Amino acid sequence: MAAVYRGADAIQKVAVVGAGLIGAGWVAAFLARGYAVAVADPTPDAPAKVRAHIAAAWPALRDRGLAAGADPTAVTFHTDLAAALDGADFVQESAPERPEVKAALYADLGRLAPPDVIIASSTSGMPVSQLQQGCLHPQRCVLGHPFNPVHLMPLVEVGGGDRTDPVAVETVTALYASMRKQPVHVRREIVGHIANRLTSAMFREAVALVAGGYATVDDVDRAIRFGPALKWAIQGQFTTFHTSGGDGGLGAFLHHFAPGILARWKTMKDPDLANPELQALLVRQVTEANGGQPVADIARHQDQMILRLLQILSDGLADQEEPPSNLG
């Protein structure tokens, strides 16, 4: 018989392990959906940083619509992992991406969390199979990788490792969907999952164009923003090419344009991103392209625009007869 895990309807308290940028974003997201949250982090300034993150995120979360009983103060802070896990129905792990840290942490999580409590990792690249090696009841270890800013971005990549119970993946998928997230199933483990591999491939070519003098950082960003990105927000890459094929769809597109794509692929090479001079060039140009604005101001504007885009996308899905999922 398949194991039974505490699902969305049974979860009241979430333990968020790790209070960095991603962990703090998860705290705000869980609070907005009405959960109580216990934060486990050994750093002395974690409570102040997380509270500041919640305060900054709450207006946008309120605009999107809070769950009944959502309370930005329903959070406790613990330097002791056992105290944070006490009474928790779900664990969202967002600890540093260091193998030795994760290994020790998962040994503790497996020992302290009851076997019916799922442990989801925010890891941006490490395989779940590696994380679950030293964890008691490894079948409840799953991938739950978000996109930053976590409190706004709907995407969560969900998957499992060699010993993950498929029921645990299904349960976590349902939980994130109930939080108005967009869970995407990583069907086989691969370094970087799905979205980070796609953005890494795009960044590789963006850096190569700048390094080769073909474009500036501003040129590249504007080419993406006012070109393919407008379609990507609506329908993704494959459907974009599907609509570019006319009545013949993707089949016609591939027939006509595959040779050109293959020719371009042959010219693409990895730039030396570790080169300090290239790094300095990229930093200087991105600073110039943004008029020297502080990163916090750029991020604040980014979040405001994301909120507006999400509303547009939500309205568009509401107009469809059979919306694929709920962004609203």
Side-chain angles (χ1 to χ4, degrees):
M1 180 180 295
V4 177
Y5 303 98
R6 304 183 198 185
D9 57 345
I11 293 175
Q12 296 183 4
K13 178 181 177 182
V14 175
V16 173
V17 180
L21 180 64
I22 299 301
W26 272 122
V27 173
F30 282 117
L31 290 173
R33 302 319 305 159
Y35 298 105
V37 180
V39 179
D41 193 293
T43 57
D45 59 349
K49 287 186 175 180
V50 172
R51 287 193 178 100
H53 192 101
I54 295 168
W58 206 254
L61 289 167
R62 185 173 55 240
D63 289 345
R64 290 203 68 201
L66 300 171
D71 181 357
T73 68
V75 56
T76 58
F77 297 92
H78 311 269
T79 56
D80 178 62
L81 180 62
L85 294 175
D86 185 26
D89 304 302
F90 179 76
V91 177
Q92 184 72 48
E93 175 270 312
S94 302
E97 296 277 292
R98 299 201 299 272
E100 69 281 5
V101 172
K102 297 280 196 186
L105 175 59
Y106 271 77
D108 290 338
L109 288 172
R111 176 174 52 86
L112 295 170
D116 63 341
V117 171
I118 292 176
I119 303 169
S121 179
S122 300
T123 177
S124 61
M126 294 179 65
V128 175
S129 294
Q130 180 179 349
L131 299 176
Q132 65 189 172
Q133 285 180 2
C135 183
L136 192 63
H137 307 293
Q139 67 275 6
R140 41 74 177 273
C141 295
V142 302
L143 174 69
H145 173 240
F147 239 53
N148 186 55
V150 179
H151 69 282
L152 286 182
M153 298 293 278
L155 176 64
V156 185
E157 295 174 316
V158 179
D162 293 339
R163 291 181 283 177
T164 300
D165 184 347
V167 176
V169 175
E170 294 170 4
T171 302
V172 168
T173 299
L175 170 63
Y176 291 141
S178 75
M179 296 174 64
R180 303 189 305 186
K181 294 292 187 181
Q182 285 284 321
V184 173
H185 189 190
V186 182
R187 299 170 190 273
R188 292 178 58 194
E189 285 188 294
I190 187 169
V191 174
H193 319 313
I194 299 171
N196 277 347
R197 292 183 68 86
L198 293 170
T199 56
S200 294
M202 172 67 74
F203 188 57
R204 178 184 62 183
E205 186 57 23
V207 171
L209 289 169
V210 175
Y214 303 103
T216 65
V217 164
D218 185 54
D219 294 331
V220 171
D221 278 358
R222 288 192 298 112
I224 294 172
R225 288 177 59 209
F226 300 113
L230 290 173
K231 292 185 179 181
W232 289 340
I234 300 167
Q235 58 197 16
Q237 181 62 80
F238 282 106
T239 304
T240 290
F241 281 173
H242 188 50
T243 60
S244 297
D247 292 340
L250 183 60
F253 176 89
L254 293 175
H255 176 74
H256 289 291
F257 297 108
I261 292 174
L262 289 170
R264 288 191 289 274
W265 281 356
K266 290 179 181 179
T267 68
M268 295 179 180
K269 299 179 180 179
D270 294 342
D272 184 11
L273 190 56
N275 185 317
E277 292 183 1
L278 176 55
Q279 292 185 7
L281 173 67
L282 298 175
V283 171
R284 183 176 71 253
Q285 288 196 11
V286 78
T287 301
E288 293 171 352
N290 287 281
Q293 293 183 81
V295 174
D297 291 348
I298 300 171
R300 190 176 301 111
H301 176 70
Q302 163 202 273
D303 291 359
Q304 292 170 350
M305 296 303 292
I306 289 173
L307 190 62
R308 295 171 66 179
L309 285 170
L310 285 172
Q311 186 58 56
I312 292 171
L313 292 173
S314 178
D315 293 343
L317 289 178
D319 291 338
Q320 295 178 358
E321 290 184 4
E322 295 182 0
S325 53
N326 178 22
L327 278 174

